[in-house]
Amino acid sequence: MASKCIAPSVLAADFANLQRDIEMINNSEADWFHIDIMDGVFVPNISFGMPVLRDIAKHATKTIDVHLMIVDPDRYIKTFADLGSNILTVHYEACTHLHRTLQAIKAEGMKAGVAINPHTNVDLLEDVIRDIDLVCIMSVNPGFGGQSFIENTYKKVKQLKEIITRNNANTLIEIDGGVTNKNAKKLIDAGADVLVAGSFVFKSENPIHTIKNLKEIVGT
Ligand code: DX5
Ligand code: ZN
């Protein structure tokens, strides 16, 4: 898995022109597709579900990084594998038996990710860090695109990086929410590997150029 990735969040795409926006990501320097699945229970919003992901996967030519913001995600692990997910991220706050959930994701041939809300301390992941392929640090409260970045995130990235190093783990650190060209470099310097960017990419005048610019900032 490549490090220092840019993962545009499809949540900010134009759903009436979804194929156009998928092709834009295919043709850009972006590394992954970030797909936000919301159930209206774990977060106060509903995004889109399986049929839409199935169609996205038909056109997408890059890694599909699925971020489940749903309660009891164990119910759908196999479904998301069958739909073409390469990375499946569940929320720490939604899993009673996280270790078991991580093994179930890997058993379906996907990389296993864990997302943590802004209030969740990274120390809680230490005992499973070697089982986690990716930690998604939420830098906004999950549920909506276009929110402002929470500054405490830098501290969490540094603390998590220490835990990863101390345990000799290969875990990637992903940052999700409010990422722009203003905070990208500082996040990478703190230890981040993957930056998700929704509004900053899709609401810009030239998304391809914006992605190229972010790639330059993060390096390869
Ligand atoms: C928020 C989602 C994010 C969101 C990011 O709940 O998990 O992936 O799409 O959007 P921006 O980059 O606009 O904050
Ligand atoms: Zn997300």
Side-chain angles (χ1 to χ4, degrees):
M1 213 181 265
S3 55
K4 313 305 171 202
C5 293
I6 297 297
S9 170
V10 173
L11 186 65
D14 176 354
F15 293 138
N17 288 288
L18 195 48
Q19 188 178 350
R20 180 200 67 191
D21 286 357
I22 300 301
E23 298 295 355
M24 182 280 289
I25 298 176
N26 284 342
N27 294 326
S28 75
E29 289 179 35
D31 301 276
W32 296 355
F33 284 81
H34 184 82
I35 307 291
D36 291 304
I37 307 287
M38 305 177 182
D39 67 353
V41 180
F42 181 71
V43 287
N45 195 12
I46 298 174
S47 54
F48 51 81
M50 288 79 172
V52 176
L53 175 55
R54 181 178 301 114
D55 287 350
I56 291 173
K58 248 187 248 166
H59 299 287
T61 56
K62 299 177 178 183
T63 296
I64 299 186
D65 170 37
V66 176
H67 176 194
L68 294 184
M69 284 160 273
I70 67 173
V71 296
D72 197 5
D74 299 69
R75 293 171 294 164
Y76 296 112
I77 291 172
K78 189 173 181 330
T79 306
F80 279 99
D82 293 344
L83 287 168
S85 316
N86 302 111
I87 304 165
L88 192 65
T89 295
V90 295
H91 262 267
Y92 174 87
E93 301 83 9
C95 295
T96 313
H97 302 287
L98 182 61
H99 181 271
R100 180 185 290 153
T101 303
L102 294 169
Q103 310 315 320
I105 293 171
K106 291 186 201 175
E108 292 295 337
M110 299 176 286
K111 299 276 184 194
V114 177
I116 53 172
N117 280 339
H119 72 272
T120 300
N121 196 294
V122 294
D123 285 343
L124 294 164
L125 299 177
E126 175 134 21
D127 289 335
V128 278
I129 197 71
R130 286 174 62 90
D131 298 291
I132 306 177
D133 295 306
L134 173 145
V135 173
C136 175
I137 298 182
M138 292 307 303
S139 38
V140 297
N141 284 295
F144 303 92
Q147 304 180 80
S148 11
F149 180 83
I150 297 172
E151 296 286 324
N152 187 52
T153 307
Y154 300 115
K155 185 189 86 185
K156 293 178 80 166
V157 178
K158 286 183 198 144
Q159 289 173 342
L160 177 61
K161 189 72 187 175
E162 268 175 42
I163 293 172
I164 292 169
T165 308
R166 186 161 68 237
N167 287 278
N168 261 320
N170 292 318
T171 318
L172 295 177
I173 302 178
E174 178 178 70
I175 310 299
D176 189 7
V179 170
T180 68
N181 58 355
K182 300 279 184 297
N183 50 29
K185 174 83 169 74
K186 203 168 160 192
L187 286 166
I188 295 296
D189 288 348
D193 303 290
V194 185
L195 303 182
V196 174
S199 313
F200 186 67
V201 166
F202 283 99
K203 309 292 176 227
S204 70
E205 222 158 84
N206 185 338
I208 294 244
H209 188 262
T210 303
I211 293 168
K212 186 179 168 55
N213 204 246
L214 283 173
K215 279 297 282 184
E216 276 162 16
I217 293 173
V218 303
T220 43

